[in-house]
Amino acid sequence: MSYAIAHILNNDCPHCLEGKVFKEKNIFFNIGFPKMNPYCSHCQFKFEKEPGYFFGAMYVNYGLTVAQGIATYVIAQFFFKETFDLRIIPIIAVVIITMASFNIRFSRLLWIYMFKNYSS
């Protein structure tokens, strides 16, 4: 399990663990929509199985975003006297916008790894 997470964070191909899924080397700090390789450069594994394959990754992305928003609220509430201060909302928005690019890439990688063929 920990090896899978390390390979996901390294942007490795789920089949051969040597090629890269995204054209960018670093999945953490990139601006813009991700550019995926259609096939692995090492083993020619096709990343997008069918049209609309990554629609499910949107639900993973949504879950990550909600979790980050809740975690930001829980952490930020300790810095304010009131239970819900409206100044927390821009803080949550900044965190969500900052993490959006990473979330897109990470959710797609999680989606690919969840549905890879583990029998081979």
Side-chain angles (χ1 to χ4, degrees), residues 10-55:
N10 284 330
N11 186 25
D12 292 335
C13 170
H15 189 256
C16 70
L17 305 176
E18 293 189 29
K20 299 297 180 191
V21 176
F22 289 100
K23 292 182 180 178
E24 301 93 2
K25 300 291 182 206
N26 184 358
I27 68 164
F28 297 105
F29 301 109
N30 289 309
I31 296 174
F33 201 74
K35 295 171 183 70
M36 290 184 64
N37 294 316
Y39 296 94
C40 175
S41 61
H42 187 262
C43 68
Q44 300 306 313
F45 179 76
K46 185 176 181 182
F47 296 124
E48 188 170 359
K49 304 292 182 217
E50 59 191 18
Y53 177 69
F54 290 110
F55 282 151

Side-chain angles (χ1 to χ4, degrees), residues 14-114:
H15 189 256
C16 70
L17 305 176
E18 293 189 29
K20 299 297 180 191
V21 176
F22 289 100
K23 292 182 180 178
E24 301 93 2
K25 300 291 182 206
N26 184 358
I27 68 164
F28 297 105
F29 301 109
N30 289 309
I31 296 174
F33 201 74
K35 295 171 183 70
M36 290 184 64
N37 294 316
Y39 296 94
C40 175
S41 61
H42 187 262
C43 68
Q44 300 306 313
F45 179 76
K46 185 176 181 182
F47 296 124
E48 188 170 359
K49 304 292 182 217
E50 59 191 18
Y53 177 69
F54 290 110
F55 282 151
M58 291 189 310
Y59 295 107
V60 175
N61 187 357
Y62 176 74
L64 286 171
T65 303
V66 168
Q68 290 165 352
I70 291 171
T72 303
Y73 170 73
V74 168
I75 293 169
Q77 76 173 348
F78 293 115
F79 296 100
F80 297 96
K81 291 182 181 177
E82 296 180 25
T83 303
F84 186 76
D85 195 328
L86 291 178
R87 293 177 290 179
I88 294 176
I89 293 173
I91 296 169
I92 294 170
V94 166
V95 169
I96 289 173
I97 291 169
T98 304
M99 296 297 294
S101 179
F102 169 75
N103 286 347
I104 291 170
R105 289 167 176 81
F106 188 67
S107 64
R108 284 188 174 202
L109 284 165
L110 279 174
W111 194 254
I112 290 172
Y113 271 78
M114 279 194 304

